[in-house]
Amino acid sequence: VGSIGVIAQAPNIYKLLDNNGVEVVQRTAGEYKRTIQIFQPNTEEGLKKFDEELALVHSAFISHVSHHRSDFISDPSRVFTGESWLATHAIELGLVDEIMTSDEYIRRRQLQADAFLIRPRSKRQSSLSSFLSRFADDAHDRISFFFSSIVANSPWWPFQYEKIYQDHRGGLTSAPNYQHHEASPQVKAREFGGSALETD
């Protein structure tokens, strides 16, 4: 975390081209259109202007971070040097609020909002394969919905069940937003991003 700095570099192959008899013709309009050179020798004036441009971008970067993290950053002179830190150290500097995995964040957000799992489109199938695949998916959804209807109306079920909707064409699946009663058991949610989510 960090790296609040600016870097720019470019190879200069002028000597290589010159030693091999290659001449590059370059014309510009505007005094500072080309400040750092690749095919021509660099000039002190051009490099000085290039440094000014880097400093301007760095200043804008610092202003952006300061605007959003001014109440948290303890020592601005330390964090705007281009250095990077591990997240555990970044907390002390005020660059991050807390540390958690993506699964933990999604589990927390599922208590207030719907979570969506986006999958890439499958490869194009033949008409028959596509029909059979859609038929199987539809049968699975109908069975799941039938089961959920029975379970949702059962007095022993510890939480509210919401049907999962799947768009077979777009590959978009909505994960359920579980609403637990008090003292409900640990419930395993749908597989999300390759690992099983669990909510307490």
Side-chain angles (χ1 to χ4, degrees):
V1 180
S3 189
I4 306 174
V6 183
I7 182 173
Q9 59 186 5
N12 186 282
I13 59 174
Y14 166 72
K15 291 183 179 180
L16 176 64
L17 297 176
D18 186 55
N19 291 337
N20 287 275
V22 178
E23 179 183 4
V24 177
V25 178
Q26 176 179 275
R27 293 289 184 267
T28 60
E31 183 178 1
Y32 295 114
K33 179 60 180 177
R34 177 67 67 189
T35 55
I36 189 170
Q37 301 289 339
I38 297 178
F39 304 116
Q40 305 288 342
N42 282 300
T43 64
E44 290 297 326
E45 182 182 8
L47 293 176
K48 180 180 178 180
K49 179 61 177 177
F50 192 69
D51 289 338
E52 293 176 359
E53 293 171 346
L54 291 182
L56 183 63
V57 176
H58 191 206
S59 177
F61 196 171
I62 292 174
S63 297
H64 177 77
V65 176
S66 298
H67 177 72
H68 294 282
R69 304 291 302 179
S70 60
D71 296 336
F72 307 99
I73 296 178
S74 56
D75 186 1
S77 63
R78 184 181 177 189
V79 301
F80 298 143
T81 60
E83 297 176 77
S84 298
W85 296 271
L86 296 176
T88 51
H89 299 145
I91 287 183
E92 301 173 1
L93 298 172
L95 290 176
V96 298
D97 299 322
E98 57 183 314
I99 302 174
M100 69 177 67
T101 65
S102 58
D103 281 357
E104 290 172 329
Y105 176 77
I106 294 173
R107 283 190 299 182
R108 179 183 298 182
R109 292 295 298 155
Q110 275 187 301
L111 299 178
Q112 297 90 25
D114 293 328
F116 293 90
L117 175 60
I118 301 177
R119 293 173 177 163
R121 293 175 182 267
S122 59
K123 295 182 178 179
R124 183 180 297 277
Q125 299 177 325
S126 65
S127 299
L128 178 59
S129 297
S130 178
F131 171 77
L132 294 177
S133 176
R134 290 175 180 270
F135 178 80
D137 290 339
D138 183 66
H140 176 270
D141 289 345
R142 290 177 181 274
I143 294 174
S144 298
F145 180 73
F146 176 74
F147 172 76
S148 65
S149 299
I150 297 176
V151 170
N153 295 322
S154 299
W156 50 266
W157 195 245
F159 59 90
Q160 179 180 345
Y161 182 90
E162 293 183 12
K163 182 177 182 292
I164 299 171
Y165 173 82
Q166 182 174 9
D167 182 354
H168 301 287
R169 291 173 299 176
L172 183 65
T173 305
S174 173
N177 179 8
Y178 291 112
Q179 300 177 3
H180 299 274
H181 297 288
E182 294 183 3
S184 61
Q186 189 178 60
V187 180
K188 181 170 291 187
R190 276 180 71 85
E191 184 178 337
F192 206 111
S195 60
L197 293 178
E198 296 182 356
T199 55
D200 299 325

